[in-house]
């Protein structure tokens, strides 16, 4: 996917709220999905992954949901904290092309 | 365990020059990936190396090249630099290539072309 640069989608939440970040992927052949968190000046940090034979996976304070029918992925963050403020990217693994394709990114802003 | 390390952190070059960026993967990882992230934009796949061989490349001109050494470290070379090459270049590594193995990223090299 291509980011729209300065028009990066932004989600603003209050500390303690639950956050839901959505992502659409385009290739029905994708069979592995990852969420990354990128803080300013740093590289993307692995959060959680899910394979296409699952529709839900939980981690610590995070849950990823996969809907293959509509090619949609979401990341849920429980009890969002100011330290969760970052840009979040979904990525899907393109079987046959052997590369990870990144989505546009969503900026999460958490206010105290 | 040390993560993916990249050097230099910042690099300033002038148009037409060549740039060399270096990456050391996590110990035990054999696959190395390079991505370009222009300011405020998403990550664009550049190159993938595994076991010393180039396995795939993204939609970039041939002046973007690289290699992987026997110790699995890698370097990215960009020849005939253009202003639009200014970006954060991210290296990632993973266990043997394939589905189900997450990429782990370094903090990147910020290349500025003037």
């Amino acid at each position: 996917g291509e980011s729209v640069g300065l028009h990066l989608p932004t989600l603003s939440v209050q500390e303690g709220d639950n956050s839901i970040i959505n992502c659409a992927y385009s290739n029905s052949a994708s069979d592995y999905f990852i969420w990354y968190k990128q803080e300013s000046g740093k590289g993307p940090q692995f959060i959680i992954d899910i394979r296409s034979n699952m529709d839900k996976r939980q981690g610590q304070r995070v849950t990823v949901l996969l809907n293959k029918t509509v090619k949609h992925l979401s990341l849920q963050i429980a009890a969002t904290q100011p330290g969760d403020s970052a840009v979040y990217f979904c990525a899907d693994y393109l079987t046959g092309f052997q590369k990870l394709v990144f989505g546009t990114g969503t900026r999460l802003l958490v206010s105290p | 365990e040390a993560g993916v390390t990249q050097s230099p952190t910042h690099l300033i070059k002038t148009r037409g020059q060549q740039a060399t960026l270096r990456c050391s993967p996590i110990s035990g990882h054999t696959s190395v990936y390079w991505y370009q992230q222009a300011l405020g934009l998403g990550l664009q796949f550049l190159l993938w190396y595994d076991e010393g061989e180039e396995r795939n490349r993204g939609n970039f001109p041939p002046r973007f090249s690289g290699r992987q050494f026997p110790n699995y470290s890698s370097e990215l070379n960009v020849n005939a630099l253009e202003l639009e090459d200014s970006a954060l270049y991210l290296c990632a590594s993973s266990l043997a290539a394939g589905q189900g193995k997450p990429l782990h990223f370094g903090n990147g090299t910020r290349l500025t072309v003037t």
Side-chain angles (χ1 to χ4, degrees):
Chain A
E2 295 290 335
S3 170
V4 293
L6 294 176
H7 298 97
L8 197 65
T10 300
L11 174 66
S12 296
V13 301
Q14 293 284 116
E15 181 178 0
D17 287 351
N18 295 331
S19 303
I20 299 176
I21 301 171
N22 296 302
C23 175
Y25 63 96
S26 58
N27 197 311
S28 56
S30 296
D31 53 9
Y32 176 57
F33 306 86
I34 308 177
W35 279 100
Y36 285 93
K37 171 187 180 182
Q38 187 174 25
E39 297 173 280
S40 181
K42 296 185 178 180
Q45 176 187 358
F46 171 84
I47 301 174
I48 191 168
D49 59 359
I50 187 169
R51 300 190 184 206
S52 59
N53 62 352
M54 304 170 68
D55 54 20
K56 180 180 179 179
R57 191 170 186 214
Q58 290 183 292
Q60 187 176 17
R61 280 202 309 120
V62 294
T63 300
V64 55
L65 299 177
L66 175 63
N67 186 330
K68 295 181 289 294
T69 302
V70 295
K71 291 185 282 188
H72 182 267
L73 198 64
S74 69
L75 177 70
Q76 300 178 2
I77 304 173
T80 314
Q81 302 167 0
D84 294 327
S85 294
V87 176
Y88 289 80
F89 291 98
C90 67
D92 61 288
Y93 188 82
L94 210 56
T95 299
F97 290 89
Q98 302 284 301
K99 67 181 182 182
L100 205 58
V101 177
F102 281 79
T104 56
T106 296
R107 186 181 307 280
L108 176 65
L109 296 175
V110 183
S111 50
Chain B
E1 176 185 84
V4 175
T5 57
Q6 293 187 243
S7 63
T9 306
H10 294 85
L11 188 58
I12 300 174
K13 294 285 187 178
T14 56
R15 193 169 48 185
Q17 286 188 316
Q18 180 201 33
T20 298
L21 289 63
R22 296 181 175 83
C23 172
S24 292
I26 292 171
S27 178
H29 286 192
T30 61
S31 276
V32 171
Y33 303 77
W34 288 96
Y35 282 79
Q36 182 196 65
Q37 186 175 32
L39 188 62
L41 298 180
L43 285 76
Q44 301 298 317
F45 170 74
L46 261 168
L47 289 160
W48 167 38
Y49 292 94
D50 183 62
E51 296 287 355
E53 300 286 331
E54 180 181 304
R55 302 295 186 182
N56 199 3
R57 67 179 292 129
N59 189 25
F60 281 84
R63 56 191 186 82
F64 286 84
S65 65
R67 54 179 170 167
Q68 186 178 34
F69 299 98
N71 66 354
Y72 303 113
S73 67
S74 175
E75 68 179 29
L76 174 70
N77 295 294
V78 188
N79 294 320
L81 284 165
E82 300 179 1
L83 296 178
E84 53 264 35
D85 296 333
S86 294
L88 181 67
Y89 288 84
L90 292 160
C91 173
S93 72
S94 73
L95 293 169
Q99 180 258 10
K101 298 178 180 64
L103 275 62
H104 299 273
F105 285 84
N107 286 327
T109 292
R110 171 72 62 188
L111 173 64
T112 302
V113 183
T114 61

